[in-house]
Amino acid sequence: MKRVQGRTAVLLASVASVALVAGAASAQTVKMGIPTFLTGAGAPAFGIPAKEGVELIIRGINNGELPAPYNSVGLAGRKIEPLIYDEAGGGTKQVTELRNKVQKDGVDLVVGYISSGTCAAVARVAEEVKVLTLMTVCGTPRVFEELVKKPKYLFRTMSHGTGNNTGAARYIAAKHPELLKDGFIGLNQNYAWGQDSWRDFSLAMKIVAPDVKPARKQQFPKLFSGQYGSEISALLRAKPKVVHSSFWGGDLEAFIAQANARGLFKRKTFILTVGETVAYRLGRKFPEGQIIGTRGPYGMYAVGIDTPLNNWFQKEYRKTYGYPPAQPTYQYAQGILGAKYAYDKAMKDNGGKFPTTDQVIKALEGATYTSLAGTVRMALSNGHQAVTEDRWGVTVWDEKKGEMVVKDVVVFQPECVNPPDGVLSVPWLEGGMQGAKCG
Amino acid sequence: MTKYMDQTGWALTLGLAVLIVVNFFIPEWFRAILLLSLARGSVALGLLVLWRCGLISFGHALFYGFGAYTVALIVKYLGITDVFLTVACGVVVAGGFAWILGFLLRRYRGIFFALLNLAFSMILYGVLAKLESLGSTDGISLEQTTYLWYEPEGAANKTTLFFFAAVMTWAVAMAVHHYLRSTLGYMTTAVRENEIRLEYLGYSAERAIHVKYTISGLVGGFGGAIAAMTIGHVDPDSMAYWPISGDFVFIAILSGTGNVGAPFIGALLYELIRTYAFEQFPGIWQLIMGGTLLLIIMFLPNGLWSLVDRWNQRRKERNRLEARAQEEKA
């Protein structure tokens, strides 16, 4: 009995000392909670590349390695202490985790979230627990249009999903009207992201190509089904030459393998709205001549953007991980640069002293900041929702570089594919995209 | 001791008192974990009722999901935010479905029973994930809840919800405990031990199972309703997907079937293990959870409650020995 008591005492003492050390270390850092998919279906295509981007950009910020305008050390001079954790497991778990991170671990801000489902679940909680939250990837416009209409702590540092599908519609209508002769058809996973993507795309098509009709029956296979034999047969038989698909991750890889074997990509042109997520992973097996998007100017579209910041990122990423950075890598890094911009600016406005969260929020609201690929403007929802330009092009294999690249790239300005401030996405599309400015 | 208050009854009441007192001393994240433990413990309590008659369900997220979504849909489409009404509806809808499904499921035992439940829960998942009007995979967010005429704001909101959930859970646990001690309740063990003998005694085993299944559904729906209000959001992945059913079985195994209080202790322990595994081992936390389950099955096959049972037995044994020693002395 005595020995057990002794052991318990040692255990308690060590727990206490760990707690003390942890307390001491956090005094002069900014604690950043970073949720991303570390396990499950979202990990290979989104979560892990995102985490790699985060680790690289935080290393750059903490060591002061980044080129201008981010060449100072840390956030407002304090190093980032990242707490990267798993986004898997659904909304309930993420709401609990967000509370844990804020109320137990005392994070100063949260940067991350990939799934729209998670974003919808945590949006109100972030406001409730008053933690500065920069959503990085999730696409659902509902976050600010329905759930948190007057955000204070909540931001999103990339365009929401509507802009991407509007861009897709504009691209196909302008560059390849000949392909649309027989209409177009959809192949989307049967869940919120797939349903929203198809709705936005078909609404946008009604406006940019009013004479073109969608096929009578769309394909909505179930999420993570992995077998697409019957869908491929249906698409081969269908008349339209253009297929819209918001497939991603493992489902997209499986679909490409099965469709390649049956020659589907030779007979149809696909618009893969987030196809770039698997293009580098598949390498040569990714079909050429397909229209792919990245929900902005990220990944493959950022390859050629010649700024010192982007060159540093491309070079260091390829050096560290041995392959090129894809869209989630850029999108997460963009969120962290948003935090860096806001902290640094708030410190400047605060006379060089470390800013409060309220000051950081004020600095980020409605701001325009330089990201790796182009400029981010916090233009919508009271300056809490970002817009960026949207790029579209066609895949082609570059023999010399040994990787997939894009050609025939068209750059759409943010005003061209996003609703103006104060206008909701679906009504904007249904009302004929009033106020869209395409220079 | 009265008819309603035996040792367990007093322990549950003491537990309720402790919860109400600690509420004022705990950080908010821990209160959220306690709330979730009450909700998930309730579903595990539903499993316990079935388990006592030797049945296990791999799909109890079905009733959890029904409870949670009923609350969310009532708030969304009818604009009713009163918790007494929404929770009652959640419980009734889940219990009603359990009663309907009971006509089919009461005819099955063992693995067939377990997997049929799984099948039904995945049908619910499929429907929820596909229908945009039910929020699809993005789910539905709940508005602020109200309590009759009382509309708490800010911090009071969480405390009120916590008190409400604690008191209601106490009532549910008491009711289930009382049921298990009734004649009908004791039939659970009889069903497990020898169904044919039970039938010869003049009882219908199928009807006994049907009643238990309905109770199990009612309690599961209650858990789901509390969870929906705790989280403020429902989505199919966290309410109806099969790993959620797995969580409930995990909690049931962890707690053991010895007492109606056990599932709540088990649920709290489960939440705590998960929280710390998640924090310390972000990439392999599932492995820690699986390892824990394995250890429990190997070393405490009857769950945590077997520790209490063992302690009780040892105490009885000691009392007996002491009594005998005194007798001999006399």
Side-chain angles (χ1 to χ4, degrees):
Chain A
M1 198 63 196
K2 203 151 208 177
R3 224 181 56 217
V4 174
Q5 269 171 2
R7 222 186 283 160
T8 316
V10 169
L11 194 73
L12 279 176
S14 52
V15 167
S17 57
V18 166
L20 278 176
V21 170
S26 63
Q28 285 302 316
T29 57
V30 177
K31 263 197 186 180
M32 187 187 277
I34 305 166
T36 171
F37 284 109
L38 301 177
T39 62
F46 276 96
I48 302 301
K51 173 172 167 272
E52 291 169 351
V54 162
E55 282 167 347
L56 176 63
I57 204 92
I58 289 183
R59 192 194 83 196
I61 290 172
N62 280 350
N63 297 343
E65 294 170 28
L66 293 188
Y70 300 114
N71 48 356
S72 59
V73 172
L75 301 186
R78 292 190 186 170
K79 289 196 175 177
I80 301 172
E81 187 188 338
L83 285 167
I84 299 176
Y85 66 95
D86 196 356
E87 195 188 321
T92 305
K93 194 173 276 171
Q94 288 310 313
V95 166
T96 315
E97 250 353 276
L98 179 63
R99 280 186 201 285
N100 282 346
K101 287 289 166 288
V102 176
Q103 294 163 345
K104 179 161 149 287
D105 302 335
V107 298
D108 300 292
L109 75 161
V110 174
V111 182
Y113 293 122
I114 291 168
S115 144
S116 285
T118 334
C119 282
V122 300
R124 284 186 182 157
V125 181
E127 289 286 324
E128 184 199 314
V129 299
K130 301 189 172 27
V131 63
L132 173 58
T133 304
L134 277 63
M135 293 181 165
T136 45
V137 175
C138 56
T140 178
R142 283 178 55 220
V143 170
F144 292 116
E145 293 185 357
E146 189 187 316
L147 297 171
V148 182
K149 286 182 186 144
K150 289 201 183 84
K152 178 173 180 202
Y153 295 92
L154 196 61
F155 291 85
R156 176 156 51 193
T157 52
M158 71 179 284
S159 308
H160 57 57
T162 303
N164 191 39
N165 286 297
T166 316
R170 286 196 188 283
Y171 185 84
I172 188 89
K175 293 288 266 189
H176 299 288
E178 78 284 355
L179 291 175
L180 288 169
K181 229 173 38 242
D182 299 314
F184 59 100
I185 189 167
L187 170 75
N188 291 284
Q189 293 141 314
N190 201 352
Y191 79 121
W193 163 252
Q195 293 155 357
D196 288 356
S197 295
W198 172 253
R199 186 198 57 215
D200 289 353
F201 179 74
S202 50
L203 283 175
M205 284 302 282
K206 241 187 228 168
I207 297 151
V208 298
D211 305 331
V212 181
K213 292 277 169 287
R216 226 169 338 118
K217 215 167 163 295
Q218 313 305 331
Q219 299 294 324
F220 278 106
K222 85 175 188 290
L223 183 62
F224 305 143
S225 80
Q227 290 296 327
Y228 302 100
S230 47
E231 283 82 9
I232 293 170
S233 301
L235 289 177
L236 283 169
R237 278 199 308 274
K239 265 176 85 186
K241 291 253 168 0
V242 174
V243 186
H244 168 273
S245 177
S246 59
F247 266 44
W248 56 271
D251 279 11
L252 180 54
E253 289 187 35
F255 176 77
I256 287 174
Q258 292 160 30
N260 263 337
R262 296 176 62 181
L264 183 61
F265 292 109
K266 293 204 173 67
R267 297 178 47 185
K268 307 277 173 194
T269 301
F270 273 72
I271 302 173
L272 297 166
T273 58
V274 286
E276 195 264 356
T277 47
V278 306
Y280 283 134
R281 286 165 54 86
L282 290 183
R284 256 214 136 121
K285 279 181 249 152
F286 194 89
E288 287 187 83
Q290 310 302 316
I291 299 165
I292 63 167
T294 62
R295 290 186 52 208
Y298 313 107
M300 223 172 256
Y301 289 98
V303 174
I305 295 181
D306 187 21
T307 62
L309 192 60
N310 188 46
N311 290 339
W312 177 88
F313 192 71
Q314 282 277 342
K315 198 178 118 231
E316 289 297 317
Y317 189 88
R318 285 165 189 259
K319 203 172 79 191
T320 314
Y321 299 106
Y323 43 84
Q327 61 181 55
T329 315
Y330 266 88
Q331 290 155 356
Y332 262 64
Q334 177 157 305
I336 290 176
L337 283 183
K340 165 112 180 107
Y341 168 85
Y343 269 84
D344 288 356
K345 175 156 190 301
M347 181 171 77
K348 220 168 99 198
D349 296 345
N350 195 28
K353 284 201 297 285
F354 190 79
T356 62
T357 300
D358 279 7
Q359 287 167 329
V360 176
I361 287 168
K362 223 171 131 234
L364 191 55
E365 260 174 5
T368 300
Y369 73 91
T370 312
S371 178
L372 298 162
T375 312
V376 179
R377 277 183 32 229
M378 306 301 294
L380 308 183
S381 305
N382 301 332
H384 286 247
Q385 166 66 55
V387 293
T388 64
E389 60 182 41
D390 200 37
R391 295 186 175 207
W392 284 89
V394 175
T395 51
V396 57
W397 181 257
D398 187 328
E399 199 61 61
K400 224 167 43 215
K401 284 164 104 178
E403 66 182 52
M404 197 61 83
V405 296
V406 272
K407 63 169 187 184
D408 297 340
V409 175
V410 173
V411 179
F412 295 104
Q413 290 310 307
E415 299 77 21
C416 180
V417 291
N418 285 292
D421 195 11
V423 182
L424 305 186
S425 302
V426 173
W428 178 66
L429 288 173
E430 284 170 344
M433 299 191 209
Q434 297 289 320
K437 286 198 269 298
C438 301
Chain B
M1 292 198 191
T2 64
K3 190 181 163 206
Y4 294 100
M5 294 304 279
D6 58 353
Q7 213 177 357
T8 304
W10 286 114
L12 286 175
T13 314
L14 183 71
L16 173 66
V18 169
L19 280 183
I20 287 178
V21 174
V22 296
N23 167 62
F24 296 100
F25 303 99
I26 48 176
E28 216 179 302
W29 65 269
F30 193 68
R31 188 181 305 136
I33 283 184
L34 280 178
L35 264 168
L36 213 53
S37 307
L38 290 176
R40 290 155 78 88
S42 300
V43 188
L45 178 64
L47 280 180
L48 179 146
V49 173
L50 286 175
W51 202 322
R52 286 254 179 117
C53 45
L55 291 170
I56 180 75
S57 154
F58 288 160
H60 245 48
L62 177 64
F63 304 114
Y64 187 63
F66 265 124
Y69 266 82
T70 306
V71 169
L73 290 172
I74 287 176
V75 174
K76 188 181 175 191
Y77 287 113
L78 303 180
I80 298 170
T81 53
D82 180 67
V83 289
F84 293 95
L85 212 60
T86 53
V87 170
C89 288
V91 171
V92 167
V93 168
F97 265 91
W99 181 68
I100 294 167
L101 287 181
F103 286 105
L104 175 74
L105 286 167
R106 68 185 195 179
R107 288 157 41 194
Y108 296 90
R109 305 286 182 275
I111 194 71
F112 306 104
F113 181 84
L115 290 182
L116 267 174
N117 272 291
L118 177 64
F120 281 114
S121 81
M122 287 309 287
I123 292 174
L124 175 71
Y125 174 79
V127 170
L128 293 177
K130 281 174 188 170
L131 286 184
E132 277 191 91
S133 52
L134 297 180
S136 191
T137 41
D138 281 357
I140 307 170
S141 284
L142 275 75
E143 302 294 326
Q144 171 84 49
T145 44
T146 54
Y147 303 79
L148 297 178
W149 299 274
Y150 177 49
E151 288 179 40
E153 274 177 27
N157 192 27
K158 285 281 162 231
T159 309
T160 319
L161 177 60
F162 184 69
F163 287 165
F164 172 79
V167 172
M168 292 304 269
T169 311
W170 172 82
V172 165
M174 288 293 274
V176 171
H177 177 59
H178 184 63
Y179 164 76
L180 286 176
R181 289 194 321 138
S182 68
T183 313
L184 211 62
Y186 275 123
M187 257 192 266
T188 47
T189 326
V191 170
R192 189 183 62 204
E193 297 301 330
N194 196 330
E195 251 184 58
I196 297 171
R197 193 174 286 177
L198 179 74
E199 301 248 325
Y200 270 96
L201 286 173
Y203 291 107
S204 158
E206 281 195 3
R207 189 176 294 167
I209 288 173
H210 198 165
V211 171
K212 276 164 230 320
Y213 193 71
T214 309
I215 291 179
S216 177
L218 288 167
V219 180
F222 169 76
I226 297 293
M229 289 185 302
T230 306
I231 302 299
H233 184 88
V234 296
D235 61 280
D237 274 345
S238 25
M239 297 300 173
Y241 204 28
W242 62 265
I244 307 303
S245 299
D247 285 353
F248 296 135
V249 176
F250 188 137
I251 293 171
I253 293 175
L254 185 67
S255 357
T257 58
N259 188 285
V260 291
F264 300 98
I265 300 170
L268 176 61
L269 192 70
Y270 174 86
E271 288 298 324
L272 287 176
I273 297 173
R274 195 193 58 73
T275 301
Y276 284 97
F278 204 75
E279 189 178 304
Q280 300 301 324
F281 311 98
I284 54 158
W285 60 275
Q286 289 101 332
L287 207 67
I288 309 281
M289 301 307 290
T292 313
L293 187 60
L294 212 62
L295 288 178
I296 291 282
I297 291 173
M298 280 167 70
F299 295 108
L300 286 175
N302 291 322
L304 285 173
W305 198 259
S306 58
L307 289 176
V308 181
D309 278 345
R310 246 182 251 176
W311 180 72
N312 265 343
Q313 247 163 28
R314 219 176 286 162
R315 202 184 49 175
K316 268 185 203 152
E317 184 72 11
R318 207 171 43 224
N319 285 350
R320 209 166 54 85
L321 286 177
E322 269 171 23
R324 192 191 286 170
Q326 267 176 1
E327 252 171 50
E328 279 172 10
K329 228 185 250 171

PDB file of all heavy atoms in Angstrom, chain A residues 402-424:
ATOM      1  N   GLY A 402       8.250  17.212 -65.487  1.00  0.00           N
ATOM      2  CA  GLY A 402       7.781  15.948 -64.934  1.00  0.00           C
ATOM      3  C   GLY A 402       6.618  16.121 -63.979  1.00  0.00           C
ATOM      4  O   GLY A 402       6.476  15.364 -63.030  1.00  0.00           O
ATOM      5  N   GLU A 403       5.779  17.140 -64.231  1.00  0.00           N
ATOM      6  CA  GLU A 403       4.578  17.281 -63.410  1.00  0.00           C
ATOM      7  C   GLU A 403       3.447  17.897 -64.221  1.00  0.00           C
ATOM      8  O   GLU A 403       3.659  18.457 -65.292  1.00  0.00           O
ATOM      9  CB  GLU A 403       4.872  18.125 -62.160  1.00  0.00           C
ATOM     10  CG  GLU A 403       5.219  19.579 -62.457  1.00  0.00           C
ATOM     11  CD  GLU A 403       5.559  20.371 -61.182  1.00  0.00           C
ATOM     12  OE1 GLU A 403       6.412  19.902 -60.405  1.00  0.00           O
ATOM     13  OE2 GLU A 403       4.973  21.442 -60.994  1.00  0.00           O
ATOM     14  N   MET A 404       2.241  17.774 -63.670  1.00  0.00           N
ATOM     15  CA  MET A 404       1.069  18.315 -64.343  1.00  0.00           C
ATOM     16  C   MET A 404       1.060  19.842 -64.211  1.00  0.00           C
ATOM     17  O   MET A 404       1.381  20.378 -63.146  1.00  0.00           O
ATOM     18  CB  MET A 404      -0.181  17.718 -63.696  1.00  0.00           C
ATOM     19  CG  MET A 404      -1.451  17.841 -64.507  1.00  0.00           C
ATOM     20  SD  MET A 404      -1.397  17.008 -66.105  1.00  0.00           S
ATOM     21  CE  MET A 404      -1.794  15.335 -65.647  1.00  0.00           C
ATOM     22  N   VAL A 405       0.735  20.546 -65.302  1.00  0.00           N
ATOM     23  CA  VAL A 405       0.597  22.006 -65.248  1.00  0.00           C
ATOM     24  C   VAL A 405      -0.733  22.393 -65.899  1.00  0.00           C
ATOM     25  O   VAL A 405      -1.442  21.539 -66.420  1.00  0.00           O
ATOM     26  CB  VAL A 405       1.770  22.732 -65.967  1.00  0.00           C
ATOM     27  CG1 VAL A 405       3.088  22.466 -65.266  1.00  0.00           C
ATOM     28  CG2 VAL A 405       1.841  22.328 -67.425  1.00  0.00           C
ATOM     29  N   VAL A 406      -1.082  23.688 -65.845  1.00  0.00           N
ATOM     30  CA  VAL A 406      -2.323  24.157 -66.475  1.00  0.00           C
ATOM     31  C   VAL A 406      -1.998  25.121 -67.612  1.00  0.00           C
ATOM     32  O   VAL A 406      -1.054  25.903 -67.529  1.00  0.00           O
ATOM     33  CB  VAL A 406      -3.242  24.868 -65.451  1.00  0.00           C
ATOM     34  CG1 VAL A 406      -4.126  23.865 -64.768  1.00  0.00           C
ATOM     35  CG2 VAL A 406      -2.446  25.653 -64.438  1.00  0.00           C
ATOM     36  N   LYS A 407      -2.781  25.052 -68.689  1.00  0.00           N
ATOM     37  CA  LYS A 407      -2.622  26.002 -69.796  1.00  0.00           C
ATOM     38  C   LYS A 407      -3.957  26.698 -70.057  1.00  0.00           C
ATOM     39  O   LYS A 407      -4.968  26.334 -69.446  1.00  0.00           O
ATOM     40  CB  LYS A 407      -2.129  25.278 -71.047  1.00  0.00           C
ATOM     41  CG  LYS A 407      -3.118  24.245 -71.542  1.00  0.00           C
ATOM     42  CD  LYS A 407      -2.753  23.717 -72.901  1.00  0.00           C
ATOM     43  CE  LYS A 407      -3.894  22.822 -73.394  1.00  0.00           C
ATOM     44  NZ  LYS A 407      -3.713  22.153 -74.633  1.00  0.00           N
ATOM     45  N   ASP A 408      -3.957  27.653 -70.974  1.00  0.00           N
ATOM     46  CA  ASP A 408      -5.160  28.437 -71.305  1.00  0.00           C
ATOM     47  C   ASP A 408      -5.806  29.017 -70.048  1.00  0.00           C
ATOM     48  O   ASP A 408      -7.030  28.966 -69.875  1.00  0.00           O
ATOM     49  CB  ASP A 408      -6.218  27.566 -72.024  1.00  0.00           C
ATOM     50  CG  ASP A 408      -5.722  27.038 -73.343  1.00  0.00           C
ATOM     51  OD1 ASP A 408      -4.752  27.633 -73.870  1.00  0.00           O
ATOM     52  OD2 ASP A 408      -6.267  26.040 -73.833  1.00  0.00           O
ATOM     53  N   VAL A 409      -4.986  29.546 -69.164  1.00  0.00           N
ATOM     54  CA  VAL A 409      -5.513  29.992 -67.883  1.00  0.00           C
ATOM     55  C   VAL A 409      -6.258  31.314 -68.031  1.00  0.00           C
ATOM     56  O   VAL A 409      -5.775  32.231 -68.694  1.00  0.00           O
ATOM     57  CB  VAL A 409      -4.379  30.141 -66.847  1.00  0.00           C
ATOM     58  CG1 VAL A 409      -4.908  30.722 -65.540  1.00  0.00           C
ATOM     59  CG2 VAL A 409      -3.721  28.795 -66.611  1.00  0.00           C
ATOM     60  N   VAL A 410      -7.446  31.386 -67.454  1.00  0.00           N
ATOM     61  CA  VAL A 410      -8.192  32.644 -67.394  1.00  0.00           C
ATOM     62  C   VAL A 410      -8.288  33.050 -65.925  1.00  0.00           C
ATOM     63  O   VAL A 410      -8.588  32.227 -65.065  1.00  0.00           O
ATOM     64  CB  VAL A 410      -9.608  32.474 -67.980  1.00  0.00           C
ATOM     65  CG1 VAL A 410     -10.431  33.740 -67.765  1.00  0.00           C
ATOM     66  CG2 VAL A 410      -9.524  32.144 -69.457  1.00  0.00           C
ATOM     67  N   VAL A 411      -8.001  34.328 -65.665  1.00  0.00           N
ATOM     68  CA  VAL A 411      -8.095  34.836 -64.296  1.00  0.00           C
ATOM     69  C   VAL A 411      -9.379  35.643 -64.165  1.00  0.00           C
ATOM     70  O   VAL A 411      -9.580  36.610 -64.895  1.00  0.00           O
ATOM     71  CB  VAL A 411      -6.879  35.734 -63.973  1.00  0.00           C
ATOM     72  CG1 VAL A 411      -7.000  36.278 -62.551  1.00  0.00           C
ATOM     73  CG2 VAL A 411      -5.583  34.964 -64.153  1.00  0.00           C
ATOM     74  N   PHE A 412     -10.238  35.219 -63.259  1.00  0.00           N
ATOM     75  CA  PHE A 412     -11.458  35.988 -62.991  1.00  0.00           C
ATOM     76  C   PHE A 412     -11.242  36.836 -61.750  1.00  0.00           C
ATOM     77  O   PHE A 412     -10.826  36.324 -60.715  1.00  0.00           O
ATOM     78  CB  PHE A 412     -12.653  35.061 -62.771  1.00  0.00           C
ATOM     79  CG  PHE A 412     -13.017  34.261 -63.988  1.00  0.00           C
ATOM     80  CD1 PHE A 412     -12.685  32.924 -64.072  1.00  0.00           C
ATOM     81  CD2 PHE A 412     -13.672  34.859 -65.053  1.00  0.00           C
ATOM     82  CE1 PHE A 412     -13.017  32.183 -65.199  1.00  0.00           C
ATOM     83  CE2 PHE A 412     -14.008  34.121 -66.181  1.00  0.00           C
ATOM     84  CZ  PHE A 412     -13.669  32.781 -66.255  1.00  0.00           C
ATOM     85  N   GLN A 413     -11.570  38.118 -61.860  1.00  0.00           N
ATOM     86  CA  GLN A 413     -11.438  38.993 -60.695  1.00  0.00           C
ATOM     87  C   GLN A 413     -12.519  38.633 -59.665  1.00  0.00           C
ATOM     88  O   GLN A 413     -13.583  38.133 -60.032  1.00  0.00           O
ATOM     89  CB  GLN A 413     -11.562  40.468 -61.116  1.00  0.00           C
ATOM     90  CG  GLN A 413     -10.361  40.966 -61.925  1.00  0.00           C
ATOM     91  CD  GLN A 413      -9.027  40.639 -61.257  1.00  0.00           C
ATOM     92  OE1 GLN A 413      -8.827  40.956 -60.087  1.00  0.00           O
ATOM     93  NE2 GLN A 413      -8.123  39.984 -61.989  1.00  0.00           N
ATOM     94  N   PRO A 414     -12.244  38.904 -58.389  1.00  0.00           N
ATOM     95  CA  PRO A 414     -13.215  38.537 -57.354  1.00  0.00           C
ATOM     96  C   PRO A 414     -14.613  39.091 -57.622  1.00  0.00           C
ATOM     97  O   PRO A 414     -15.614  38.404 -57.388  1.00  0.00           O
ATOM     98  CB  PRO A 414     -12.640  39.150 -56.076  1.00  0.00           C
ATOM     99  CG  PRO A 414     -11.250  39.566 -56.362  1.00  0.00           C
ATOM    100  CD  PRO A 414     -11.010  39.458 -57.841  1.00  0.00           C
ATOM    101  N   GLU A 415     -14.704  40.319 -58.144  1.00  0.00           N
ATOM    102  CA  GLU A 415     -16.015  40.952 -58.351  1.00  0.00           C
ATOM    103  C   GLU A 415     -16.803  40.251 -59.450  1.00  0.00           C
ATOM    104  O   GLU A 415     -18.012  40.447 -59.587  1.00  0.00           O
ATOM    105  CB  GLU A 415     -15.864  42.423 -58.745  1.00  0.00           C
ATOM    106  CG  GLU A 415     -15.163  43.295 -57.723  1.00  0.00           C
ATOM    107  CD  GLU A 415     -13.661  43.086 -57.728  1.00  0.00           C
ATOM    108  OE1 GLU A 415     -13.120  42.590 -58.750  1.00  0.00           O
ATOM    109  OE2 GLU A 415     -13.016  43.395 -56.708  1.00  0.00           O
ATOM    110  N   CYS A 416     -16.098  39.467 -60.252  1.00  0.00           N
ATOM    111  CA  CYS A 416     -16.726  38.837 -61.411  1.00  0.00           C
ATOM    112  C   CYS A 416     -17.446  37.555 -61.012  1.00  0.00           C
ATOM    113  O   CYS A 416     -18.428  37.159 -61.624  1.00  0.00           O
ATOM    114  CB  CYS A 416     -15.655  38.563 -62.454  1.00  0.00           C
ATOM    115  SG  CYS A 416     -16.241  37.781 -63.942  1.00  0.00           S
ATOM    116  N   VAL A 417     -16.962  36.893 -59.966  1.00  0.00           N
ATOM    117  CA  VAL A 417     -17.518  35.577 -59.621  1.00  0.00           C
ATOM    118  C   VAL A 417     -18.139  35.519 -58.221  1.00  0.00           C
ATOM    119  O   VAL A 417     -18.710  34.510 -57.845  1.00  0.00           O
ATOM    120  CB  VAL A 417     -16.442  34.468 -59.755  1.00  0.00           C
ATOM    121  CG1 VAL A 417     -16.088  34.244 -61.205  1.00  0.00           C
ATOM    122  CG2 VAL A 417     -15.206  34.780 -58.936  1.00  0.00           C
ATOM    123  N   ASN A 418     -18.008  36.588 -57.439  1.00  0.00           N
ATOM    124  CA  ASN A 418     -18.593  36.590 -56.102  1.00  0.00           C
ATOM    125  C   ASN A 418     -19.729  37.598 -56.016  1.00  0.00           C
ATOM    126  O   ASN A 418     -19.685  38.635 -56.668  1.00  0.00           O
ATOM    127  CB  ASN A 418     -17.538  36.955 -55.049  1.00  0.00           C
ATOM    128  CG  ASN A 418     -16.601  35.799 -54.792  1.00  0.00           C
ATOM    129  OD1 ASN A 418     -16.993  34.780 -54.242  1.00  0.00           O
ATOM    130  ND2 ASN A 418     -15.359  35.938 -55.227  1.00  0.00           N
ATOM    131  N   PRO A 419     -20.730  37.330 -55.184  1.00  0.00           N
ATOM    132  CA  PRO A 419     -21.792  38.326 -55.003  1.00  0.00           C
ATOM    133  C   PRO A 419     -21.234  39.563 -54.308  1.00  0.00           C
ATOM    134  O   PRO A 419     -20.268  39.470 -53.552  1.00  0.00           O
ATOM    135  CB  PRO A 419     -22.806  37.617 -54.096  1.00  0.00           C
ATOM    136  CG  PRO A 419     -22.060  36.518 -53.431  1.00  0.00           C
ATOM    137  CD  PRO A 419     -20.965  36.124 -54.368  1.00  0.00           C
ATOM    138  N   PRO A 420     -21.838  40.749 -54.567  1.00  0.00           N
ATOM    139  CA  PRO A 420     -21.388  41.947 -53.855  1.00  0.00           C
ATOM    140  C   PRO A 420     -21.734  41.840 -52.367  1.00  0.00           C
ATOM    141  O   PRO A 420     -22.564  40.995 -51.998  1.00  0.00           O
ATOM    142  CB  PRO A 420     -22.193  43.079 -54.496  1.00  0.00           C
ATOM    143  CG  PRO A 420     -22.998  42.485 -55.582  1.00  0.00           C
ATOM    144  CD  PRO A 420     -22.942  41.014 -55.483  1.00  0.00           C
ATOM    145  N   ASP A 421     -21.113  42.673 -51.556  1.00  0.00           N
ATOM    146  CA  ASP A 421     -21.349  42.616 -50.108  1.00  0.00           C
ATOM    147  C   ASP A 421     -22.830  42.793 -49.806  1.00  0.00           C
ATOM    148  O   ASP A 421     -23.507  43.625 -50.406  1.00  0.00           O
ATOM    149  CB  ASP A 421     -20.540  43.712 -49.402  1.00  0.00           C
ATOM    150  CG  ASP A 421     -20.484  43.452 -47.905  1.00  0.00           C
ATOM    151  OD1 ASP A 421     -20.873  42.344 -47.478  1.00  0.00           O
ATOM    152  OD2 ASP A 421     -20.033  44.344 -47.172  1.00  0.00           O
ATOM    153  N   GLY A 422     -23.343  41.989 -48.893  1.00  0.00           N
ATOM    154  CA  GLY A 422     -24.731  42.121 -48.476  1.00  0.00           C
ATOM    155  C   GLY A 422     -25.713  41.319 -49.296  1.00  0.00           C
ATOM    156  O   GLY A 422     -26.879  41.255 -48.972  1.00  0.00           O
ATOM    157  N   VAL A 423     -25.259  40.713 -50.411  1.00  0.00           N
ATOM    158  CA  VAL A 423     -26.159  39.913 -51.235  1.00  0.00           C
ATOM    159  C   VAL A 423     -25.859  38.437 -50.991  1.00  0.00           C
ATOM    160  O   VAL A 423     -24.704  38.027 -50.985  1.00  0.00           O
ATOM    161  CB  VAL A 423     -25.969  40.240 -52.736  1.00  0.00           C
ATOM    162  CG1 VAL A 423     -26.953  39.435 -53.575  1.00  0.00           C
ATOM    163  CG2 VAL A 423     -26.156  41.731 -52.973  1.00  0.00           C
ATOM    164  N   LEU A 424     -26.909  37.644 -50.760  1.00  0.00           N
ATOM    165  CA  LEU A 424     -26.706  36.225 -50.505  1.00  0.00           C
ATOM    166  C   LEU A 424     -26.435  35.471 -51.812  1.00  0.00           C
ATOM    167  O   LEU A 424     -26.901  35.871 -52.877  1.00  0.00           O
ATOM    168  CB  LEU A 424     -27.926  35.623 -49.802  1.00  0.00           C
ATOM    169  CG  LEU A 424     -28.357  36.323 -48.508  1.00  0.00           C
ATOM    170  CD1 LEU A 424     -29.476  35.545 -47.843  1.00  0.00           C
ATOM    171  CD2 LEU A 424     -27.177  36.462 -47.552  1.00  0.00           C
TER     172      LEU A 424
END
